[in-house]
Amino acid sequence: MRLRIDLAYDGGDFAGFARQTDQRTVQGDLEEVLTRLVGQPAAVTCAGRTDRGVHALAQVVHLDIDDTTSRARRALADLDRFRRQLDGSLPGDVTIWSVTAVPRTFHARFSARQRIYRYRLVDDVAAADPIRRHDRWRLDDPVHVPSMRQGAGHLVGEHDFASFCRRVEGRTTMRRLLDVTVTRPSPGRVDLRFAGTAFCHQQVRAMVGCLVDVGRGRRNAPWIGEVLAARDRRVAARVAPPHGLTLERVTFGSGRPSAPLKRVRR
């Protein structure tokens, strides 16, 4: 049986999604509990690996379980109950939205057609909410949103994003960015929304760091295009802190529902 699991997590105490030795990760916590519940090794594949400190409202994983064993068969006989068991066995910084059986053709990573990230900024002390300090970057000075929008326009399309990516040997930095929006939903708040087919390591945070420099007036909007054309990480600004970033939506093809699939809430 192949399962799709839609989940959310506060990334603050995780060393990212992917399993790492001697560090707490989302994958590590999830696989440990799944293995215990179904009585067999449970390896998950995710829609998009998030970095250390990055949050998710719409992470999706799939895994294959041998449901011919009696323990797995009992565990999976009622998937709503299984979701509750899984959710209740995980720490409070992880929520399981839903568990559904899917065809073997579904793949959390390769079936995904679009991933949407949102980065939240606060640029006015009057809007600084200490309760939300873990999911937004607080700036000491206001940013100019129209300039940031103009700069963001240089990023849309298919490009080599080498200036914005941490290079991995043997992997391409060509990516297609479908849309970037920069909005001010309320005084003192700025949201940057990035929609793309896929993103490379630290790409969104690197783009945010450069756009914030434009918003602060340290650089002009055309500079973003110059950074992109340089294909050199050294010419870009510092990456934005991870805690302002959230994976908010994943869409799939072939009529499959998008994430987050909040079929059941706890």
Side-chain angles (χ1 to χ4, degrees):
M1 177 184 286
R2 176 161 292 189
L3 296 180
R4 165 179 167 168
I5 301 176
D6 286 47
L7 66 151
Y9 48 84
D10 178 342
D13 289 335
F14 290 105
F17 178 87
R19 178 184 287 279
Q20 299 182 49
T21 304
D22 299 326
Q23 296 194 66
R24 186 184 178 217
T25 65
V26 180
Q27 183 179 15
D29 279 14
L30 184 59
E31 289 180 345
E32 180 181 348
V33 174
L34 284 167
T35 296
R36 187 168 69 247
L37 291 178
V38 300
Q40 60 187 266
V44 304
T45 299
C46 71
R49 293 185 176 186
T50 50
D51 296 338
R52 177 187 295 269
V54 175
H55 315 295
L57 287 175
Q59 183 63 273
V60 179
V61 305
H62 83 260
L63 73 156
D64 293 324
I65 296 176
D66 178 5
D67 59 352
T68 63
T69 67
S70 58
R71 184 170 176 181
R73 193 162 52 248
R74 287 194 303 271
L76 301 176
D78 183 338
L79 290 182
D80 284 340
R81 182 184 64 188
F82 183 72
R83 185 211 66 84
R84 294 193 298 270
Q85 290 176 329
L86 179 58
D87 185 66
S89 300
L90 285 161
D93 48 4
V94 181
T95 289
I96 303 298
W97 295 127
S98 64
V99 179
T100 55
V102 292
R104 295 286 297 225
T105 53
F106 176 84
H107 193 286
R109 178 184 175 191
F110 296 126
S111 297
R113 295 292 177 262
Q114 182 176 248
R115 296 155 176 91
I116 297 175
Y117 286 86
R118 186 179 304 274
Y119 197 100
R120 294 176 172 85
L121 301 169
V122 174
D123 64 349
D124 186 337
V125 66
D129 181 351
I131 297 175
R132 301 299 302 271
R133 69 189 184 280
H134 299 299
D135 73 344
R136 55 204 62 200
W137 180 18
R138 178 175 168 180
L139 305 175
D140 294 328
D141 48 348
V143 294
H144 188 247
V145 168
S147 297
M148 296 172 71
R149 288 192 188 118
Q150 186 180 354
H154 294 276
L155 299 170
V156 177
E158 187 168 359
H159 308 286
D160 186 344
F161 284 92
S163 294
F164 300 95
C165 295
R166 176 176 286 183
R167 286 187 178 272
V168 178
E169 188 67 30
R171 294 187 182 179
T172 181
T173 50
M174 292 293 297
R175 294 292 188 274
R176 181 182 301 154
L177 196 55
L178 302 173
D179 187 44
V180 184
T181 60
V182 185
T183 60
R184 190 176 284 283
S186 61
R189 285 184 51 199
V190 178
D191 285 3
L192 297 92
R193 180 181 178 273
F194 300 85
T197 54
F199 295 89
C200 52
H201 190 200
Q202 294 190 346
Q203 180 184 344
V204 175
R205 292 168 54 204
M207 292 188 294
V208 171
C210 289
L211 290 172
V212 166
D213 267 11
V214 170
R216 284 169 158 168
R218 297 174 181 175
R219 301 282 189 170
N220 58 28
W223 173 73
I224 299 293
E226 296 170 9
V227 172
L228 183 66
R231 292 182 292 178
D232 184 347
R233 185 70 192 89
R234 294 170 295 182
V235 306
R238 294 180 61 183
V239 298
H243 66 276
L245 183 60
T246 301
L247 173 60
E248 288 206 331
R249 187 171 177 83
V250 182
T251 63
F252 296 94
S254 304
R256 298 184 175 109
S258 300
L261 183 58
K262 302 177 185 178
R263 185 167 296 176
V264 182
R265 288 179 180 269
R266 67 174 176 180

